[in-house]
Structure formats: C-alpha cells, structure tokens
Amino acid sequence: TPSDRDGHSSTQSSHRLLAYSDALISIIATVMILPVAHTKIQEDEELTESLQQLISTKVAVYLMTFLIVTVAWAAHIRLFQVIEHIDDCLALLNLACMMLITFLPYTFSLMATFPENTLGILLFCTCVIVIGMIQAIIVVYGFSRPFLLNEQIQMSENPAFYKWHILKVISKVPVLCMLAVIFSFIFSPVSYVLLAIVIFLRYISLSARWCYGKATGRLEEPADSMVFYTYHPDEPLSKERVEAFSDGVYAIVATLLILDICEDNVPDPKVVQEKFSGSLVDALKEFGPEFLAYFGSFATVGLLWFVHHSLFLHVTRATHLMGLFNTFSLAFVGGLPLAYQLTHEFARNSRNELEAIQISCVIIFFAGLFQLAIWVTALFGERSALHPYVRFAGRDHAFMFAKLALYPCVALGTFVLTCVLSRFSAPIFHLMEITVPFVFLLLRLLVSAGLSLLRRLLSSIRRAMR
Amino acid sequence: TPSDRDGHSSTQSSHRLLAYSDALISIIATVMILPVAHTKIQEDEELTESLQQLISTKVAVYLMTFLIVTVAWAAHIRLFQVIEHIDDCLALLNLACMMLITFLPYTFSLMATFPENTLGILLFCTCVIVIGMIQAIIVVYGFSRPFLLNEQIQMSENPAFYKWHILKVISKVPVLCMLAVIFSFIFSPVSYVLLAIVIFLRYISLSARWCYGKATGRLEEPADSMVFYTYHPDEPLSKERVEAFSDGVYAIVATLLILDICEDNVPDPKVVQEKFSGSLVDALKEFGPEFLAYFGSFATVGLLWFVHHSLFLHVTRATHLMGLFNTFSLAFVGGLPLAYQLTHEFARNSRNELEAIQISCVIIFFAGLFQLAIWVTALFGERSALHPYVRFAGRDHAFMFAKLALYPCVALGTFVLTCVLSRFSAPIFHLMEITVPFVFLLLRLLVSAGLSLLRRLLSSIRRAMR
C-alpha cells in the first residue's frame, strides 16, 4: 500500500518484520522442552530418584528459558513501539539481534548444567550484553532518522528526552548482567542473585505495583501514561504482538509430537518383514499409543488456542498483568505434549501411568486457569481492556465464562475421578479427550439452555416468594 | 474492533484463524526435512551408494510432501476467500481440518517406504478425502449462514451457483483420491499415476495456461476474473497469506539447527570431567563446527527472508505463477540448514566436504534464483502486480535487482571458485558466509556508486560520440 512509503522511499512498515520476529521468538521460547521430551525412560520401571531429579532439572531449565525469552521479547516490543517504521539497515540489525536471542536457551542451559563453572555465566551474560548493544544501536540509528519514529515522538518538542529514556530502559538488563560477569570472578553466588533479579524483577515490580494499586484504590493508570500511550515504559503490551507470539507457541507445541512421529514412527521395511512377517498393519499397531497421544495433545492445544482466540477477540488492550498470565499459560501449554506422551509410555495401571495422567490434568488445569485469570484481570483491573458486551453480565458474558471455565473444570474433574477410581484412570482420561471437542461444538447450545433454565428457576422462585 | 461483530454477535474476523493455520501448515510442510537431517553418516568415509540412495529417497519424500502440503494450503486459501467471517463452529471445523493436514507427511512417507503395500496409499487417500469432506461441510455451513460469506457473493443474485462452483473445485482432489483407492485394489500403478496428477495437475495446467497466454499474446487475465475478483478459481493468491506462510517456513528453517544444538550439544558434566579433565572450553571447542554451521544457515536464511520481505513490499498482488516460484524457493530454503550442517561433518579437504559445499552453493543459487523469478514474473507477466516505482527503470528498480541478484551471483561465484581452487573450498565458503551480510548492509551505497559510475560512463561515451 502507498502508506508503506510515506515520507521516504526506503521506509517500510515494520509489520512483517515483527511478525517474523514473533515467529522466531516463539520457537526459541519452547525449544528447551525438547530435551525433556527426549529423556529416555525405561518402561515398567518406577521412576528412580536420579531420573526424577534429571527431569525436574530439565523442566526447571525449560521454564526459566521460557521466562528469559519472554523478557527479551517484551524488550523487543518496547523497542519497536518507539521505532514504528524500518529501513533495510534496521531490518538487518534486527536479524542479528534475533540470532543472539536464539543463543539464550543454549547458554542458559550450559549455565544450569555447569553451575560452578564461570564460562556458562560468562557466555549467557555476553549474549545479553550484545543484544542490549544492538538494541542501543537501533535506538540511536532510529533517532538519527526521525521519520522512522513513532509519530508522537516525531512531533514532540524534545525527542532527545525520549531517546535517553528508552536507552535507560533498554540498558537496565545488560548493566545487571555486566555486574554479574564482574561478580562471577569474585564471588559467583552474587552473580546468580543478579541474574535472578534480571528474570523476575519485571514480574515482582509488576505484582507489587498491582497490589499497591489495589490497596490504595488507584485502579486506573496514571493520567500521563494515557497521554504518552505508545512509548511510555508502563504502556500496555501490543495486543497484535501478544497474539502473534501466542499463535507461534500454540502452533509449534501442537505439532511437537507429529515431528517425532514423522521422524521415528515410519517402520523400517526390513523390520516389518522379519518381525511382523510383512504385515504393515501389525507394525503400525505398535505405534497406536503415539498416535493417540498426538491426537490428544493436538486437540487440547488446538482447543486452548481456540479459547485464547475467543478471549482476545473481546480484548481491546493487553496490559502487562494480562501479558504475564498469558506467558504463564503458554509455559504450561508447552509441557502438554510431553505429559500426553508420558501417559502412554508406561504399562497399564502402573503407578507411573496414573502419575502421568494426573500430571497432564494438572498442566491442563493451570493452562486453562491462567487464561481465565487473563479475563478476570481484564474484567476487574482495567475497565478499558474489554469490549463492553462481554464485560457486563449477559449472554456473551456467560458464554465467554463457560468457554474459559470448561478446561479447568474438566481437568479438575478428571483429576478427582482418577484419584477415586485409579484403576480406570486411562479410560476416564481418553473419554475426556474425546468428549471435550464435542462439548465445545455444543457449548453455545448448552449455555443457552443453562441460562434459560436458570431464568425459569429464578422466576419460579420469585413467584414462590410473592 | 467493532467491525469484528458486524451483523451477528457470534461472527468473527477470520484474520487470526488464518494466521494460526498458516503457522501450522508451514511447520508441517518442512517437517520431512528432519529425517534427512538426522540420517547418520560415518565420518571420513566416501558416501556409499546405498546411503546415497537412502538420502535421495528422503530428499524426494521431503520435496513431495512440501508440494502436497502447499496444494492443501492453496485449497485452504481458496476456501477462506469465499468464507470471510467465521464463528466458533467454523473455527473448530478448521482445527479438525488442520489436524488431518498434519497427517499428510506421515501417510505419504509410509506410502513411499512401502510402495507395494496398499495400506500406505489407502491411509493417504483417506486423509485427503476426509479433509475434502470437512471442507465441503465448511462450505455448506458457510452458505447456510450468508453473513459469513464474502460480500460479493452475499450481494449476488444467485449464491447457489457459487456454492456448487466452489464445491466442485474443492471435490476435484478427493474424487481423484477416491479413484486411486479403487484402483489400488485392482491395479496399483494406476493409482500412483492418479496421485501424481493430484500433485502436479495445478502446476502443469498453470504453466500450460501461461505458455498459451504468452503464445497468443493474451497477457491480461480474462475480464470476468477481474470482476469476480476474490472467489473465482483463477483468482490470485492472497498476498497476506503467502507472506504469513513464507514467514513460518523461514522461521522454522532458521531455527532448525539451534533445536539440535540446544538438545544435543550441552556437554554431559561426567564426560567433561573424564575426557577433558574438567575444562568446559575444550569440550565446547568440539562443537565449534556445529556453531559455525548454525551461524551460516541462520544468516543465509535470515538474509533470504530479508530479500523476500523487500520483494513483497513492492508486490501488490500475488499471482499463481508467483506463488509457484515462491513455493520452489521455499522448498530449497528448507534444505539449506542440512547442506550447511554437512559442510562441517566431513574431514578437511575430503571429497565429501567439497561436495557438501558445492551442494550448499547450488541450493542457495536456486533459492535465490526462484526469488528473482518471482520478480521477473511480476515485471513482465502482470502489469498490476508491482508498484510502478520498481517496475520502471530507476534507482529503486536497480536496488531491488541488486538485492535479488546478490545471492545467486555469490553462490555461482563460490561454486566456480571451489571447482577451480578445490583445496581452499572451506575457507572460500566461510569467507562468503561472513562477507555477504556486510554486502547487504552496504548494498544501497554500492548500488548508488555503481549507478553514478554507469551514468558518468554513459555520458562520457555520449560526449565521445558527439
């Protein structure tokens, strides 16, 4: 469109660059789930303590890298809210930045595997510092060509103020990492504390501010953040980019199991000839559980995406707290395929199988619960974050609530049932997998029926009261 | 936005659904490259004939599944050009359709591995037929709720005509597959011919029509296709969706190597203690070649994305032929990480290393050449497909041409150089990897300098002529 080229012939809209960056970052955020997935587990064997420890370490590394990458992603959003147009030079600098972000999971897992070795912490911090430097270059370059900037900053009287402000915001994390590098030579525990601050600072300050806001009754954001809407450090996240990032995570997680199936589960012709006397059907039957796991995980991830999609149709503005809950929800979604895979790797009715099924329920429960939390935050925290027709009680409101509450309720129910009827845990779980998609298809009908039932009940009570 | 809800409270814009579908389909299209990537190759050994055959089979399976998935993707585009709004039911049906598309690569590779077994062909065709049935249900559902349809069809006098037309278009491939199933019981070679027709028919008819158009001088599309712009079977592809699909492929291909690095190349603490006497640096040095390969492939894929991005900024409308060249370019891009990985797996100066480097050059060459072909098609075939300022000679035109021609030229040059100086092939290749990003950074300067040089040359010639 001609608007891509307003002002300067080499200026481009940053839309596609950001979409590509979101796709890259969402893949990188979920990459550390693969080492968890491919941990070899002996069948029919109780999980030994050492193996349990190994898996929990890997899960911890996965969750931490997910958070780290989302911190980098949040910084990327902020940067490109200031710089709204790009040229070739910025596109190339951004690619360099992306490449360094892809190293974050690797260097972090080096650090986690060799905690007493300073090399891990050194590499990780170098990555973060170089990313910060490239982002600083992008800012300086952008401010030297004002037509690339956000319009509000372009028209402001004192752009240098914003330049220093955004540079200060961007340099916070690299400076902390620089300190961590220095301390790693002197007294390494301090550097780990510093890195923990880097990762959690945003979340702690966010929760603290939210609690403080609740306590003092200041529900609305300060007025100046509304004026300086798009570049202020406290500005809400870009809704589009939250959606793009979430789509990427859901897409890669949904296909995680089929990647393995396509690679490993095409039987070898020789094996089929020797072991199954040429019967391909028998050979494929062996892989039945894998396909069932794939079906279950794709359906669950797909439906959670569907709920997310419905939710964000009604959201007008994504705040930081909503972004936080979204990140947590996505981190749990990332673990889903593995949990489903585990449910089929163990012998029937073994303790491991029951545990795997219950873990799956817990993961679904939390993934769904954090989605519900996004909605609740939007409902209560920020009046401007939702469309009015879902905010106020009514049919749309009830329908949205039913959609969001379905998975947490089902997961909780399945969990309780498997505790009570532990012998039938696998059939219960599979029944749940198959039923839920149909419940979603009929949800609108069910909610309508439920509402009319409720209305009739209420009116009959009222009549009885009279 | 309020426009999401025009007409009916449950109607939604299909934008995000399509973005998510594009992300899923692009991952599925590239999945069969993984079995090629993970083929074990003994070091220092000439590639034996059987291994070469195995790899070429796997590469063929990759290319075929890539084409099959893009055929399914093209059908998906056509379907959602007719149905422009969605509701919950359509979103869920689309998810079911996506799940079946993810099985296409697997069933196809089963068919390729067991060509004499009818089960493979049966499963593949069942998949295709069920996808077709779900799409037919989507069409019937959409036409039963006209507010979901494309506005032009909504306003037309005879929507039933369009309904049967689109159903006919959609059912073509499933009917061919049905015939293939029937013939697989009678005489199986016929069914393979039918499947080949399914995959290539679109391309053959497209090229034939293009050649015919060239021969008879009918450069413009027939007038009626311009009137019925968005739902006609000959309509151009949706530019947005071509971009989204390409972004997905570039993103997953760029990160393909880091997935392996994150998983396999974190050294085991015990091994480091025993083999490298506790020195992590020595242990990591072992992985040096992997990191170099990752750097090279990420940079090349990223820069090819950059060229693609620049090209599509100038494209106003994607025609089928451009989509075809784009698919070919992406299929070559998918092979890049492997080619780069291979360049470092063999001993220095072995014949295998030279071959791997030359294969990398060939892949880069074709990936770039097909991008150039997209531009040339847009330039000559369809006057309305490009912005005027790149279409006509001038600074932007020269700059775009330089961008597109850079990779093919560099790849060709490197190929020729490695043939002549085969002893220095590895250093030449690495030098190319490092230089190209900087050339891109300075390209605008170089083109300006080149143009002014040319102009001076021309004017001095003209003066000499006078």
Side-chain angles (χ1 to χ4, degrees):
Chain A
T1 61
S3 71
D4 293 341
R5 291 169 47 78
D6 49 346
H8 204 264
S9 79
S10 62
T11 315
Q12 307 147 6
S13 153
S14 61
H15 176 75
R16 202 180 153 196
L17 180 86
L18 300 182
Y20 183 62
S21 305
D22 286 339
L24 282 175
I25 295 175
S26 58
I27 295 171
I28 295 307
T30 45
V31 57
M32 291 314 291
I33 202 70
L34 287 176
V36 193
H38 296 159
T39 308
K40 290 274 170 301
I41 295 172
Q42 252 69 40
E43 242 177 89
D44 302 330
E45 191 187 11
E46 294 281 308
L47 291 177
T48 59
E49 234 175 72
S50 70
L51 190 63
Q52 271 185 336
Q53 207 181 353
L54 182 70
I55 289 183
S56 55
T57 314
K58 284 182 175 180
V59 169
V61 169
Y62 159 67
L63 288 174
M64 292 299 286
T65 51
F66 198 97
L67 290 182
I68 291 169
V69 173
T70 50
V71 168
W73 173 67
H76 192 265
I77 292 183
R78 181 165 303 159
L79 185 60
F80 282 93
Q81 278 175 333
V82 173
I83 293 164
E84 287 194 338
H85 298 275
I86 57 162
D87 62 5
D88 286 359
C89 192
L90 282 183
L92 292 170
L93 282 173
N94 181 59
L95 281 180
C97 187
M98 282 299 124
M99 182 146 96
L100 283 159
I101 289 177
T102 62
F103 275 112
L104 287 179
Y106 180 74
T107 50
F108 182 79
S109 65
L110 263 188
M111 200 169 84
T113 323
F114 300 92
E116 72 291 341
N117 201 318
T118 51
L119 186 68
I121 204 165
L122 216 68
L123 286 176
F124 179 77
C125 291
T126 310
C127 251
V128 174
I129 293 169
V130 177
I131 292 171
M133 276 163 55
I134 295 180
Q135 291 187 334
I137 293 174
I138 291 178
V139 169
V140 172
Y141 183 88
F143 274 87
S144 74
R145 282 161 182 70
F147 50 85
L148 297 173
L149 295 177
N150 176 300
E151 271 189 20
Q152 280 172 308
I153 298 181
Q154 269 187 54
M155 293 190 299
S156 83
E157 290 172 14
N158 191 5
F161 166 75
Y162 299 117
K163 181 174 161 184
W164 290 114
H165 184 84
I166 186 84
L167 276 178
K168 219 166 63 192
V169 170
I170 281 175
S171 63
K172 240 184 237 165
V173 170
V175 165
L176 278 177
C177 281
M178 191 81 87
L179 286 178
V181 168
I182 294 167
F183 273 106
S184 73
F185 291 111
I186 306 167
F187 185 60
S188 61
V190 175
S191 51
Y192 287 108
V193 172
L194 284 171
L195 289 184
I197 290 176
V198 165
I199 299 167
F200 293 109
L201 183 65
R202 228 180 110 242
Y203 301 113
I204 295 169
S205 76
L206 202 64
S207 335
R209 209 183 306 157
W210 190 75
C211 292
Y212 176 78
K214 277 274 147 201
T216 57
R218 274 175 53 238
L219 282 180
E220 303 296 320
E221 287 190 26
D224 62 315
S225 83
M226 299 306 284
V227 178
F228 304 148
Y229 184 75
T230 37
Y231 66 83
H232 197 272
D234 296 325
E235 89 245 317
L237 295 165
S238 154
K239 186 197 159 200
E240 252 176 63
R241 296 202 61 186
V242 173
E243 286 182 355
F245 177 71
S246 308
D247 281 353
V249 172
Y250 281 112
I252 194 87
V253 169
T255 48
L256 218 57
L257 288 188
I258 202 76
L259 297 185
D260 284 340
I261 286 178
C262 282
E263 192 170 349
D264 304 330
N265 296 8
V266 177
D268 191 348
K270 273 183 215 153
V271 175
V272 172
Q273 203 53 259
E274 286 161 17
K275 205 170 153 198
F276 301 99
S277 57
S279 164
L280 186 56
V281 180
D282 290 344
L284 288 183
K285 264 185 197 157
E286 289 265 291
F287 300 135
E290 270 91 344
F291 290 117
L292 198 60
Y294 171 67
F295 167 77
S297 86
F298 188 97
T300 311
V301 174
L303 290 172
L304 284 171
W305 174 83
F306 171 70
V307 173
H308 190 272
H309 167 248
S310 306
L311 175 62
F312 272 75
L313 274 180
H314 299 311
V315 166
T316 48
R317 200 162 76 94
T319 64
H320 275 299
L321 199 64
M322 286 159 74
L324 179 65
F325 286 136
N326 190 41
T327 304
F328 287 159
S329 173
L330 291 177
F332 276 102
V333 167
L336 254 184
L338 305 184
Y340 271 82
Q341 198 176 19
L342 283 180
T343 57
H344 304 275
E345 277 197 354
F346 301 109
R348 267 290 156 94
N349 292 324
S350 67
R351 233 194 97 211
N352 284 340
E353 195 201 42
L354 180 66
E355 268 178 15
I357 287 178
Q358 292 184 338
I359 290 172
S360 302
C361 291
V362 170
I363 291 180
I364 298 174
F365 178 74
F366 278 108
L369 196 71
F370 280 116
Q371 288 187 333
L372 192 61
I374 298 174
W375 195 51
V376 173
T377 316
L379 269 180
F380 289 104
E382 310 269 340
R383 291 266 150 207
S384 62
L386 269 186
H387 274 298
Y389 48 84
V390 263
R391 206 157 65 212
F392 304 120
R395 220 166 141 278
D396 278 323
H397 180 94
F399 187 49
M400 194 66 238
F401 180 74
K403 260 187 199 169
L404 284 163
L406 183 58
Y407 255 120
C409 291
V410 166
L412 198 66
T414 314
F415 186 87
V416 172
L417 268 180
T418 52
C419 287
V420 180
L421 305 164
S422 56
R423 282 204 47 199
F424 302 101
S425 57
I428 291 171
F429 191 69
H430 296 323
L431 197 72
M432 185 271 275
E433 281 177 33
I434 295 165
T435 322
V436 171
F438 293 101
V439 175
F440 267 105
L441 259 178
L442 302 174
L443 199 59
R444 192 167 277 275
L445 286 179
L446 293 177
V447 169
S448 301
L451 278 183
S452 66
L453 205 77
L454 201 72
R455 221 169 285 144
R456 237 177 256 178
L457 213 78
L458 280 178
S459 65
S460 64
I461 288 174
R462 219 173 289 159
R463 228 174 292 153
M465 298 270 282
R466 252 186 264 158
Chain B
T1 59
S3 71
D4 293 341
R5 294 169 46 80
D6 50 347
H8 204 265
S9 78
S10 62
T11 315
Q12 306 148 6
S13 152
S14 62
H15 175 75
R16 201 181 154 195
L17 180 85
L18 300 183
Y20 183 61
S21 305
D22 286 339
L24 281 176
I25 295 176
S26 58
I27 294 171
I28 295 307
T30 45
V31 56
M32 292 314 290
I33 202 69
L34 287 175
V36 193
H38 296 160
T39 308
K40 289 276 172 299
I41 296 173
Q42 253 69 40
E43 241 177 272
D44 303 330
E45 191 186 11
E46 294 282 306
L47 292 178
T48 59
E49 238 175 69
S50 68
L51 189 64
Q52 270 183 337
Q53 209 182 349
L54 182 70
I55 289 182
S56 56
T57 315
K58 284 183 174 178
V59 169
V61 169
Y62 159 68
L63 288 174
M64 293 298 287
T65 51
F66 198 97
L67 290 183
I68 290 170
V69 173
T70 50
V71 168
W73 172 68
H76 193 265
I77 292 183
R78 183 165 302 158
L79 185 61
F80 282 94
Q81 278 175 333
V82 173
I83 293 164
E84 285 194 339
H85 297 275
I86 57 162
D87 62 4
D88 285 359
C89 192
L90 281 183
L92 291 170
L93 283 173
N94 181 58
L95 281 180
C97 188
M98 282 299 122
M99 180 144 97
L100 283 158
I101 289 178
T102 62
F103 275 113
L104 288 180
Y106 179 74
T107 51
F108 182 79
S109 65
L110 263 189
M111 201 168 84
T113 322
F114 300 92
E116 72 292 340
N117 200 318
T118 51
L119 185 68
I121 204 166
L122 217 69
L123 285 175
F124 179 77
C125 290
T126 311
C127 250
V128 174
I129 293 169
V130 177
I131 292 171
M133 278 162 52
I134 295 179
Q135 291 188 333
I137 293 175
I138 290 178
V139 169
V140 172
Y141 183 89
F143 274 87
S144 74
R145 282 161 180 70
F147 51 83
L148 297 174
L149 296 176
N150 175 299
E151 271 189 20
Q152 281 171 308
I153 299 182
Q154 269 189 51
M155 293 190 299
S156 84
E157 291 173 11
N158 190 6
F161 166 75
Y162 299 117
K163 180 176 163 183
W164 291 114
H165 184 85
I166 186 85
L167 276 178
K168 220 166 61 192
V169 170
I170 280 174
S171 62
K172 242 184 237 165
V173 171
V175 165
L176 278 178
C177 282
M178 190 81 87
L179 286 178
V181 167
I182 295 167
F183 274 105
S184 72
F185 291 111
I186 306 167
F187 183 61
S188 61
V190 176
S191 52
Y192 287 108
V193 173
L194 284 171
L195 289 184
I197 289 176
V198 166
I199 298 167
F200 294 110
L201 184 65
R202 230 182 107 240
Y203 301 114
I204 295 167
S205 76
L206 200 64
S207 338
R209 208 183 307 155
W210 191 77
C211 291
Y212 177 78
K214 276 277 144 200
T216 58
R218 273 175 53 235
L219 282 178
E220 300 299 317
E221 288 188 25
D224 61 315
S225 82
M226 298 306 285
V227 179
F228 304 149
Y229 183 76
T230 36
Y231 65 83
H232 196 273
D234 298 324
E235 90 245 319
L237 295 165
S238 154
K239 187 197 158 200
E240 251 176 63
R241 294 202 61 188
V242 172
E243 287 182 354
F245 177 71
S246 308
D247 281 352
V249 171
Y250 281 112
I252 193 87
V253 169
T255 48
L256 217 56
L257 287 187
I258 202 76
L259 298 185
D260 284 340
I261 285 178
C262 281
E263 191 170 350
D264 304 330
N265 296 8
V266 177
D268 190 348
K270 273 182 214 153
V271 174
V272 172
Q273 201 54 256
E274 285 162 19
K275 204 169 150 199
F276 300 98
S277 58
S279 164
L280 186 57
V281 179
D282 290 345
L284 289 182
K285 265 185 197 158
E286 290 265 292
F287 301 134
E290 269 91 345
F291 290 118
L292 198 59
Y294 171 66
F295 167 78
S297 87
F298 188 98
T300 311
V301 174
L303 290 172
L304 284 171
W305 174 84
F306 171 69
V307 173
H308 190 272
H309 167 249
S310 306
L311 176 61
F312 271 75
L313 273 180
H314 299 312
V315 166
T316 49
R317 198 162 78 94
T319 65
H320 275 300
L321 199 64
M322 286 159 73
L324 180 64
F325 287 135
N326 189 43
T327 304
F328 287 158
S329 172
L330 291 177
F332 277 102
V333 168
L336 254 183
L338 305 185
Y340 271 83
Q341 198 176 17
L342 283 180
T343 57
H344 303 276
E345 276 198 354
F346 302 109
R348 266 291 154 96
N349 292 325
S350 67
R351 235 194 96 211
N352 284 340
E353 195 202 40
L354 181 64
E355 269 178 14
I357 286 178
Q358 292 184 339
I359 290 173
S360 303
C361 291
V362 170
I363 291 180
I364 298 174
F365 177 74
F366 279 108
L369 196 70
F370 280 116
Q371 288 187 334
L372 192 60
I374 298 174
W375 195 52
V376 173
T377 316
L379 269 180
F380 290 104
E382 311 268 342
R383 292 265 151 207
S384 61
L386 268 186
H387 275 295
Y389 48 83
V390 262
R391 206 156 66 211
F392 304 120
R395 218 164 143 280
D396 277 324
H397 181 93
F399 187 49
M400 194 66 237
F401 180 75
K403 259 187 198 169
L404 284 162
L406 183 59
Y407 255 120
C409 290
V410 166
L412 198 65
T414 314
F415 186 87
V416 172
L417 267 180
T418 52
C419 286
V420 181
L421 303 165
S422 56
R423 282 204 47 201
F424 302 103
S425 57
I428 292 172
F429 191 68
H430 297 323
L431 196 71
M432 186 270 276
E433 282 177 32
I434 294 165
T435 321
V436 170
F438 293 102
V439 175
F440 267 107
L441 258 177
L442 302 174
L443 199 59
R444 192 167 277 276
L445 286 180
L446 293 178
V447 169
S448 302
L451 279 183
S452 66
L453 206 75
L454 202 72
R455 220 169 284 144
R456 237 177 255 179
L457 213 77
L458 280 177
S459 65
S460 64
I461 288 172
R462 219 175 289 159
R463 229 173 288 153
M465 299 269 281
R466 250 186 265 156

